[in-house]
Amino acid sequence: MTLENPILLKRIPTPPWGDVKDRQVVTYDQYVATGGYVGLRKALEAQPAELVDLVKESQLRGRGGAGFSCGMKWSFMPPPDGEPRYLAVNADESEPGTFKDRLLMECDPHILLEGIAICMHTCQLDTAYIYIRGEYHLQAKVLEQAIAEAYANNIFGENSICGKINDRTPNCYVHRGAGAYICGEETALLESLEGKRGWPRVKPPFPAVAGAFGRPTVINNVETLACLGPIVEHGAGWFKTMGRASTMGENVPGSYGPKLFGMSGHLNRPGVYEEHLGIKMSELIENHCGGMRNGKKFKSAIPGGVSMGFLTPDQYDAELDFDIGRRYGVLGLGTAGVIVMDEDTSIVSMTRNIVRFFARESCGQCTPCREGSGWLYQMLCRIERGEGAFKDIDLMDELARSMGAMPGTTICGLADGTNWAVKTAIEKFRHEFEALCKPTLVQVSVNA
């Protein structure tokens, strides 16, 4: 089952519905002429509680990596008390292999601004900050221009069609980051937003209670917010006609709605493609990306940015939804930035490169992450040079499994990205590591 018509990329020409050469920045007038801001105007006719229930019913899950229920996150917000309340838009997108949000901000910024306005009305937030990755120079300029258009047309500002929110004027700003990976973690993002060193906070308290500047804060990803306009306009039932229910049981949230997949690696036509959640990876590769580059065979893929771990050759047909982690032995769908590798790829080299990245980007706050990632990198370099021993493989696996937020040894999940890359590589491609290692010699003393 494939998507009949694009939803999120409605105005961004993308195969099979359009040619990428025809892309341009969608202005406010063009956005409105193609049905934009209808969802916002409909949302303003509803009570905030009704909109929270609508988003819950749609089962919209966060598109930034964690896949947490958007409506549930909103429901954690305390009632307004007359003081400031914030929306922090996570536009950092620093996970390697991820570039879907960049496309939305670069070509159709008003789909994000409409989602921001809907979220602000629903959660009674008076100020929104778009925290954008430091390297996104063009995208920041496009957003600034779009925000100026939104103010001129009373989406934000003194005469906003949203009216006063929490007795305050609704405002939206772009905040430029400085290019730190760790600032994609929501509490590190807040620290950076406040002008402090960007590293994660200990939780609780959670951002819904004490977020930006100590006030209640909603943090949502760009693509998540982009889904709000269509959901409000067409309804939760329409949204759930795309995607599918969970394969892990009735009590597990489903994977509904359209999804942007950032396809990169050894492909004939890499790019961002929109499809149903749950589409097979093989269909994306063959139907949208034109197959494997140079006719090579598929060897592996990382399903959602480098922190998710490796798939194997026999998992070519893996369904890309939020259940992928438990079905195929990876961390999860993540950002759906699918990195495809052909038969000539060295998994050892790929793992070393991933771990090098995480070792450099660790904020250093937690010892297992700060030290462990460096140790893993050194061992991988040694193995890649042909100087490793079999015992190094087991030592790396043990070290990787003992570091991360899920083992409970670190504050955030950066170390988990490191360990999932290492442990899935060893578990699924151990033979490649062993081929580069020397047998471990054990001295045994024998009494005469």
Side-chain angles (χ1 to χ4, degrees), residues 251-326:
N251 297 324
V252 180
S255 299
Y256 293 113
K259 184 74 186 72
L260 300 183
F261 296 93
M263 306 295 293
S264 63
H266 299 142
L267 300 167
N268 282 320
R269 191 172 63 198
V272 177
Y273 299 97
E274 184 176 5
E275 266 298 349
H276 289 272
L277 270 167
I279 188 172
K280 291 182 178 180
M281 182 174 63
S282 57
E283 291 183 30
L284 276 173
I285 292 173
E286 294 167 11
N287 299 338
H288 292 277
C289 300
M292 298 294 295
R293 192 176 66 191
N294 298 326
K296 299 283 186 177
K297 294 181 181 178
F298 171 84
K299 179 176 183 178
S300 182
I302 299 174
V306 296
S307 59
M308 293 297 109
F310 293 89
L311 296 170
T312 54
D314 61 346
Q315 295 173 342
Y316 181 57
D317 290 324
E319 299 91 349
L320 298 173
D321 61 19
F322 290 110
D323 291 339
I324 190 173
R326 284 176 283 187

Side-chain angles (χ1 to χ4, degrees), residues 130-244:
I130 303 174
Y131 186 97
I132 190 168
R133 180 178 176 177
E135 292 89 345
Y136 281 180
H137 305 290
L138 171 62
Q139 292 74 20
K141 291 179 181 178
V142 171
L143 279 173
E144 292 279 14
Q145 183 177 353
I147 290 173
E149 292 179 331
Y151 271 91
N153 289 278
N154 297 326
I155 302 301
F156 306 110
E158 287 289 341
N159 299 314
S160 170
I161 60 175
C162 301
K164 295 289 183 179
I165 299 179
N166 201 23
D167 294 324
R168 296 173 182 273
T169 300
N171 286 302
C172 181
Y173 307 99
V174 173
H175 183 94
R176 304 278 300 267
Y181 172 84
I182 195 62
C183 289
E185 196 276 338
E186 61 179 21
T187 59
L189 183 154
L190 295 177
E191 289 286 290
S192 177
L193 180 66
E194 293 175 2
K196 294 181 282 188
R197 180 174 181 173
W199 64 7
R201 298 174 180 175
V202 176
K203 300 183 286 286
F206 292 93
V209 176
F213 311 104
R215 295 294 302 160
T217 304
V218 170
I219 305 174
N220 281 142
N221 168 259
V222 169
E223 186 187 350
T224 308
L225 292 167
C227 290
L228 296 180
I231 289 174
V232 176
E233 181 180 356
H234 300 291
W238 166 84
F239 190 75
K240 293 168 73 172
T241 61
M242 295 166 278
R244 62 179 187 168

